[in-house]
Amino acid sequence: MSSVTRTMRLQNQKRAGNGRIVIVAVITLGVVGLLTWWLLLRSQPAHEAPVGSATKILPVTPNAQPSFEATIVNSTPAPETLPAGMVYIPGGEFSMGSLDPTEMFCGGDQPMDDARPLHRVYLDGFVMDATEVTNEEFASFVQATGYVTVAERKPTREEFPGVPDDKLVAGSAVFSPPPRPVPLDDHYQWWSYVAGANWRHPDGPSSDLKGREKFPVVHVAYEDAAAYAKWAGKRLPTEAEFEFAARGGLTGKPYAWGDELKPGGKWPANIYQGKFPVKGGDAGEDGFRGLAPVAQFRPNGYGLFDVGGNVWEWTSDWYRPDYYSTLAQQGGVARNPQGPASSLDPNEPDQPKRVQRGGSFLCTDQFCTRYMVGTRGKGEVRSGTNHLGFRCVKDAAKQG
């Protein structure tokens, strides 16, 4: 089910009379990944921070990270040659997950229980795109195949029975901040379904990709990302692969770059500084207001860019909040885990969801701190937004 459902509901709530029938029909059809992700984010009561993150006093001492056992990196050497734009991730054994972020400096107000318990995982080596897939890379795929993304397809009567024809329009969800502060318990206040928004038109039909060739492609549903990966002879990473790679060989650090949110007084990633989600509230102290081109910040220890912030990234794992508990109960070390066999989000059990990782340019300690390396996101598989992209991996044994 695509993100059209949720925004139809939002827009039709303002209508009277017959419009209420449409609302009921849309609600009955279910909800989309945009809401499911935010539901996870607000799993604890949301509140507005009295001071914006740009003015908070940042830690001068590292976050304490007990309970993480040492990362044991494989000694297998990298392949002699690597595909263009990819880096070698040696694999090995590590502790996967996150401690309670509310107990950390600048950790936000969400404990993120689905990122625990910590458990040991072993991975074989693989190679990974150094950056998120860019607009120009995705354009090459579309030109070669004629592929049409989910956001570009008109919703069908079969998908949405009872919805008026004039509401069955292609589009996607776009961050649309209000002009003044709002309570953080209603994401409708800053997200809108925009007809004509898609990867070619990331901010709506009047926008284009001129000057954005090196920006991450956005408005991609899971099947869009998977189709690109297959065409490129690659695949989407598992959740475990993404986390191991994002940690860059470090043990138990809260961020891909280390212990502190702002090491040396410099922002190391494209995240949100300022009052969220007010229009113009992003102070851009990291050098960017909104999305940034890829590779604008220092890479992590494996040479990966933007594994925290910029855009959320799809992984291949189905989402279940109890999956880590399942692995821990099995005991020992999970080898190359592929995720659960099916999806289950107790908030929306009828909506299939995949795990998303890395956070985005909208993540802030006022509302979302999922740029923290062990934390998790989730998204309905046929939904995209203007802060969601992906990168690909390939098994090291299949090089050459």
Side-chain angles (χ1 to χ4, degrees), residues 329-379:
Q329 289 169 7
Q330 292 174 357
V333 178
R335 296 185 65 87
N336 298 307
Q338 302 296 302
S342 61
S343 166
L344 176 62
D345 180 356
N347 292 317
E348 295 178 313
D350 296 332
Q351 300 303 308
K353 303 179 184 80
R354 302 272 183 175
V355 175
Q356 298 168 350
R357 281 298 195 118
S360 80
F361 66 87
L362 293 178
C363 280
T364 164
D365 61 359
Q366 298 170 51
F367 188 72
C368 161
T369 56
R370 283 173 171 80
Y371 45 76
M372 300 182 78
V373 72
T375 59
R376 312 172 75 199
K378 59 185 175 181

Side-chain angles (χ1 to χ4, degrees), residues 43 100-101 107 110-116 368-370 375-376:
S43 60
D100 186 342
Q110 301 156 35
M112 306 186 198
D113 295 331
D114 63 348
R116 288 183 296 283
C368 161
T369 56
R370 283 173 171 80
T375 59
R376 312 172 75 199

Side-chain angles (χ1 to χ4, degrees), residues 256-308:
W257 50 88
D259 288 304
E260 298 183 29
L261 176 59
K262 190 178 176 183
K266 296 182 179 180
W267 292 100
N270 182 24
I271 56 179
Y272 194 100
Q273 303 94 36
K275 187 65 176 179
F276 181 86
V278 181
K279 184 175 182 179
D282 185 353
E285 293 178 5
D286 54 31
F288 301 95
R289 291 182 173 91
L291 193 59
V294 300
Q296 299 302 297
F297 299 87
R298 291 174 60 89
N300 77 349
Y302 288 142
L304 297 170
F305 296 90
D306 302 314
V307 285

Side-chain angles (χ1 to χ4, degrees), residues 4 30 42 54 90-91 114 143 148-150 174 185 200-201 207 213 217 245 271 280 283 318 328 331 346 358 364 367:
V4 64
R42 65 183 193 185
D114 63 348
Q143 183 176 8
V148 178
T149 63
V150 171
V174 176
D185 58 356
R200 302 176 190 271
H201 307 287
S207 63
E213 293 82 3
V217 65
I271 56 179
W318 290 113
T364 164
F367 188 72

Side-chain angles (χ1 to χ4, degrees), residues 1-5 8 25-26 29 148-171 193 223 382:
M1 184 164 303
S2 73
S3 56
V4 64
T5 310
M8 287 178 184
V26 175
L29 289 170
V148 178
T149 63
V150 171
E152 296 173 284
R153 306 172 201 166
K154 180 180 178 179
T156 66
R157 171 67 57 196
E158 290 73 23
E159 288 179 289
F160 305 106
V163 176
D165 287 341
D166 63 343
K167 298 300 180 183
L168 294 175
V169 294
Y193 182 82
E223 64 191 73
R382 286 182 58 80

